[in-house]
């Protein structure tokens, strides 16, 4: 559909899980064997990690990567020192990008790990913390711009609340709106032309996340006049946590021209949290790609593996297997989805279902030519409505799956 297969598979490796993940969980410390890493958060160690990361991207032939400021560069003892560290690391990233041709899909700020962000960042009750977060976004935007980042992501982190008895939700959302407007203004000022993306997610880490799903994000963006500046970064496991499917979230974003990029992982059906498992299921990736193709692709976005190896998969080689498995699942999913769309049968299910709408009064309704009065007159004359007989609900998924088995 006007694009090559590769345009749809702009794979991206995340710095956080892949190079900073330790395999720790609430029940025990890290298990990961990372021979290049001395386990400290020093600038020296961070510089070593950059070389390892780019060697990994190249061996994997991944065209893109993504980072948070704190993944690539250690927190300093004050803001100025953090900025200085970030400058040093950004130079190393830039050198490696130039040497290897690997590009930055997006940058973002970690505004959720440090204890200062325990009440949120843009939605904190502490104005100094708001100012701190704003300073970090300013810096990270400038560095993302300098590294040619094609997008800039805001995932809500701790932007939400645990309890309404001590939360002024309206005030916090107003402040989030202000924060994002400041980012838009600064992007304009420094000439950053990348796409801003909001990444919806419910439930984690706060009980009520403000950006819980695509619909909540789009409503927020419109309420604060930000809709022209942001699209969405849709993550599979976040969609399922919100009680939706990935297809639903992609379609909802796509129909409002807000489909920006995807964080590829898989929503676990057994566990109720964001397990960030690598996508391995062709049935799921075919569904996702089918919806992405329906909306004309991801634009400046990509297929970003926001996924981590299991705690038991601690050897460095497992990082390769995991990404190769994910790339393979998406490549196969795209192939299947493209074949199904080219065939046209699935699209005909939609057409058939609305056939009587289109041939009857429906055309006038959609053209805005009738109101309640005309519709009542029409119906009084007709006396009774037809029953819509085109169903076939039960076989639709089966038809899709049979295609998958054939491709
Ligand atoms: C957490 C999110 C997180 C974001 C990242 C980039 O569940 O998926 O990993 O993708 O912070 O904004
Ligand atoms: Ni994510
Ligand atoms: Ni996530
Ligand atoms: Ni994640």
């Amino acid at each position: 559909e006007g694009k090559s297969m590769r345009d749809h598979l702009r794979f991206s490796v995340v710095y956080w899980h892949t190079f900073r993940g330790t395999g720790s969980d609430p029940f025990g410390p890290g298990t990961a064997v990372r021979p290049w890493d001395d386990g400290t958060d020093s600038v020296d160690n961070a510089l070593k990690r950059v070389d390892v990361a780019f060697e990994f991207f190249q061996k994997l032939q991944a065209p893109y990567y993504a980072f948070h400021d704190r993944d690539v560069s250690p927190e300093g003892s004050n803001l100025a020192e953090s900025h200085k560290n970030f400058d040093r690391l950004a130079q190393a990233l830039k050198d490696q990008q130039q040497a290897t041709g690997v590009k930055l899909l997006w940058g973002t700020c970690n505004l959720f790990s440090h204890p200062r962000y325990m009440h949120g960042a843009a939605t904190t009750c502490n104005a100094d913390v708001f100012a701190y977060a704003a300073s970090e976004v300013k810096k990270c935007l400038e560095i993302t711009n300098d590294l040619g980042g094609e997008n800039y992501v805001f995932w809500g982190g701790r932007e939400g609340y645990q309890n309404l008895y001590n939360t002024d939700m309206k005030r916090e959302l107003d402040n989030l709106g202000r924060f994002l407007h400041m980012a838009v203004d600064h992007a304009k000022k420094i000439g950053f032309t990348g796409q801003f993306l909001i990444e919806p997610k419910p439930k984690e880490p706060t009980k009520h996340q403000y950006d819980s799903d695509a619909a909540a994000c789009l409503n927020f963006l419109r309420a604060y006049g930000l809709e022209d500046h942001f699209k969405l970064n849709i993550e599979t496991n976040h969609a399922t946590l919100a009680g939706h499917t990935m297809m639903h979230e992609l379609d909802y974003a796509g129909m409002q021209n807000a489909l920006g990029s995807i964080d590829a992982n898989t929503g676990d059906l057994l566990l109720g949290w964001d397990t960030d498992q690598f996508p391995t299921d062709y049935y799921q990736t075919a569904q996702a790609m089918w919806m992405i193709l329906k909306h004309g692709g991801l634009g400046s976005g990509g297929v970003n593996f926001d996924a981590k190896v299991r705690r038991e998969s601690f050897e460095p080689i497992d990082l390769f297997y995991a990404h190769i498995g994910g790339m393979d699942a998406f490549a196969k999913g795209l192939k299947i989805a493209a074949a199904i769309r080219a065939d046209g049968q699935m699209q005909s299910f939609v057409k058939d279902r609305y056939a009587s709408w289109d041939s009857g009064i429906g055309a006038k309704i959609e053209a805005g030519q009738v109101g309640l009065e005309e519709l009542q007159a029409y119906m009084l004359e007709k006396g009774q409505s037809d029953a819509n007989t085109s169903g076939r609900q039960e076989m639709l998924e089966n038809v899709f799956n049979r295609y998958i088995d054939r491709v």
Side-chain angles (χ1 to χ4, degrees), residues 272-329:
W273 68 90
D274 194 13
T275 52
D276 285 329
Q277 297 174 61
F278 276 87
T280 51
D281 182 339
Y282 304 151
Y283 292 79
Q284 280 185 11
T285 56
Q287 288 173 358
M289 289 313 305
W290 190 80
M291 205 44 99
I292 289 168
L293 291 178
K294 173 180 167 184
H295 290 291
L298 290 170
S300 65
V303 176
N304 180 52
F305 290 112
D306 189 0
K308 57 177 182 252
V309 295
R310 300 302 87 195
R311 188 166 189 257
E312 305 82 356
S313 305
F314 53 81
E315 300 288 345
I317 190 75
D318 290 310
L319 297 172
F320 284 96
Y321 288 136
H323 282 88
I324 290 166
M327 288 173 160
D328 189 56

Side-chain angles (χ1 to χ4, degrees), residues 52 97-98 139 171 276 322 341 349 377 388 393:
V52 170
Q97 284 184 202
Q98 270 159 6
K139 186 71 188 166
R171 193 168 179 182
D276 285 329
R341 290 198 69 76
F349 289 139
N388 202 338
Q393 306 292 359

Side-chain angles (χ1 to χ4, degrees), residues 199 201 235 238 265 274 276 306:
E199 183 177 323
K201 177 181 179 179
E235 177 164 323
H238 298 181
N265 53 29
D274 194 13
D276 285 329
D306 189 0

Side-chain angles (χ1 to χ4, degrees), residues 16 68 106 108 112 153 155 199 201 235 238 263 274 306:
W16 52 100
H68 300 87
W106 45 262
T108 189
F112 45 89
V153 167
W155 164 58
E199 183 177 323
K201 177 181 179 179
E235 177 164 323
H238 298 181
D263 268 10
D274 194 13
D306 189 0

Side-chain angles (χ1 to χ4, degrees), residues 192-248:
F192 176 65
T193 55
Q195 176 67 50
F196 276 139
L197 300 170
I198 290 200
E199 183 177 323
K201 177 181 179 179
K203 295 176 188 169
E204 278 181 8
T206 76
K207 192 152 65 170
H208 295 271
Q209 293 284 123
Y210 292 134
D211 300 336
S212 54
D213 65 2
C217 288
L218 289 169
N219 185 59
F220 166 82
L221 291 170
R222 290 219 173 79
Y224 290 92
L226 288 158
E227 68 273 23
D228 294 339
H229 303 287
F230 285 81
K231 291 189 175 188
L232 303 181
N233 182 33
I234 304 289
E235 177 164 323
T236 318
N237 208 158
H238 298 181
T240 50
L241 270 180
H244 303 306
T245 60
M246 182 62 166
M247 279 176 87
H248 169 92

